[in-house]
Amino acid sequence: MLVKKIHSAPPILIMILVQGGIFFLLSALEQQARHLIGFPVPFFWLMVGQGCIAAGLTYILGFSYWWVLIQLFSPPLLVLALAFSFPVWLYPVILGLLLMTFWNVAINRVPLYLTNTLTADKLADFLPKKEGLKVADLGSGLGGTMRYLGQSRPKQYFAGIESAPVPFLISWLLNKGIGSRNVQFIYASFWKLDLSEFDVLYCFLSPVPMPDLFVKAKAEMKPGSLFISNSFDVPGLKPDRVIKVKDGRQTRLLVWKI
C-alpha cells in the first residue's frame, strides 16, 4: 500500500526527497565517523555513498532503471562539477537536455524503454500481412522498432508517436538517414491523437497509463483492430493472446483484439 502511494506522487519529487533524506542521514553519521577515525570522510566519497544508497532504495521502491541510474550518478557528478568550476550556464543547459530527453518520465511516469531486436522480430512475425496496414508505436523513443518494421514490411505504413523532444529529434533524423519511406515520426502526445486511423497499436510504456490508454483505444479504433502492449497488463482485462519472447528479460507481448 505504501509503495502504491509513493508511485502515485510525481517521481521527481520522490527522487529529491530520497536524496535529501539520505544526505541528512549521512551528514549525521559522518560526524560520528569523524570522532571514531580521527579525520573527516572526504565529501566526494560521502556523495558516492549517497548515490549508491539512493539508487538501492529507488530500485527497492520499484522505479525504472533510468531513475536508479540518475540517483546513482547525480551526487558524485555534482561534486565533480563544482570541483572543476564548470561555467554557470552549463547547469541549466544540461538540465534542459535531460528534461527534454526524459520528459515523459518526469511528467507522465513513463520511462524511456527501448524494444530489443528479438521482440521486434516477434512483432514483425505476428502482424497481419494485409497490404496498407497502419501501425503506430505510442511512445516510440528512438524509433528503432518502427524503422525495423518499416524495412521488414515495405507495403505497410508505420508511425512513431513521441512527445519527448530529444528522442523525437533523434528518431526523425535517423529515419531521414537510414529509414524507409513507409515510416513516419510524429511529435505529439498520443493522448491528443485520433487513434481511429490505425489498425494496430503497439506500446512499451509503464503500468501507469495502461487503463486509460486501453479505454481510449477501444473508444476510437475500428472493430478488429489490435492493441499490443510490451510487458504491461491492462488491469482486470485478460489478453486475447500472449506472445513470449526468449530474451534476457522474458518479454511478453500482450495482445487484445478491439
Side-chain angles (χ1 to χ4, degrees):
M1 183 65 72
L2 178 60
V3 172
K4 287 184 179 179
K5 287 184 178 180
I6 289 173
H7 278 263
S8 66
I12 190 68
L13 176 61
I14 300 300
M15 301 305 118
I16 292 172
L17 290 175
V18 166
Q19 291 284 4
I22 294 172
F23 177 79
F24 285 113
L25 176 62
L26 289 182
S27 297
L29 292 176
E30 193 273 338
Q31 298 295 326
Q32 301 299 320
R34 183 182 302 189
H35 289 300
L36 290 174
I37 63 178
F39 57 87
V41 179
F43 188 63
F44 174 77
W45 293 111
L46 200 65
M47 290 298 97
V48 170
Q50 172 166 330
C52 290
I53 296 170
L57 183 57
T58 302
Y59 176 79
I60 291 170
L61 290 174
F63 285 90
S64 69
Y65 70 96
W66 291 105
W67 283 118
V68 174
L69 292 176
I70 290 170
Q71 293 287 72
L72 176 64
F73 290 112
S74 292
L77 286 178
L78 178 60
V79 174
L80 289 175
L82 293 172
F84 285 99
S85 300
F86 291 141
V88 175
W89 58 263
L90 190 60
Y91 298 100
V93 170
I94 294 174
L95 179 61
L97 287 173
L98 288 172
L99 181 61
M100 287 189 291
T101 301
F102 302 107
W103 177 264
N104 291 318
V105 182
I107 304 302
N108 300 316
R109 301 195 294 279
V110 176
L112 180 59
Y113 289 128
L114 303 179
T115 301
N116 60 42
T117 304
L118 288 174
T119 304
D121 271 333
K122 284 286 186 182
L123 191 58
D125 290 340
F126 173 73
L127 287 177
K129 304 298 190 291
K130 181 176 117 178
E131 196 170 311
L133 188 80
K134 293 185 176 181
V135 182
D137 183 355
L138 306 183
S140 54
L142 302 180
T145 304
M146 292 295 97
R147 288 195 303 277
Y148 182 87
L149 293 176
Q151 292 169 357
S152 303
R153 300 289 191 87
K155 293 185 179 181
Q156 296 178 345
Y157 168 78
F158 299 90
I161 315 300
E162 180 56 59
S163 61
V166 170
F168 166 75
L169 181 60
I170 292 173
S171 61
W172 185 83
L173 289 172
L174 286 173
N175 195 53
K176 290 294 181 183
I178 58 175
S180 306
R181 290 186 177 181
N182 60 328
V183 179
Q184 178 186 11
F185 289 95
I186 301 170
Y187 180 59
S189 167
F190 54 73
W191 296 114
K192 298 179 180 178
L193 200 68
D194 181 4
L195 305 178
S196 63
E197 64 177 292
F198 299 107
D199 304 299
V200 180
L201 293 183
Y202 169 74
C203 60
F204 189 11
L205 301 170
S206 82
V208 178
M210 294 307 295
D212 291 338
L213 180 57
F214 187 80
V215 169
K216 175 178 171 63
K218 192 171 182 180
E220 297 179 8
M221 297 183 75
K222 299 183 289 291
S225 301
L226 298 176
F227 181 90
I228 306 174
S229 171
N230 185 326
S231 304
F232 299 111
D233 293 286
V234 176
L237 193 61
K238 184 178 178 181
D240 296 303
R241 181 170 176 180
V242 176
I243 303 170
K244 295 181 180 179
V245 181
K246 294 181 180 179
D247 59 359
R249 58 185 300 275
Q250 297 298 299
T251 296
R252 298 180 309 145
L253 293 175
L254 310 175
V255 183
W256 289 268
K257 191 171 183 179
I258 302 298

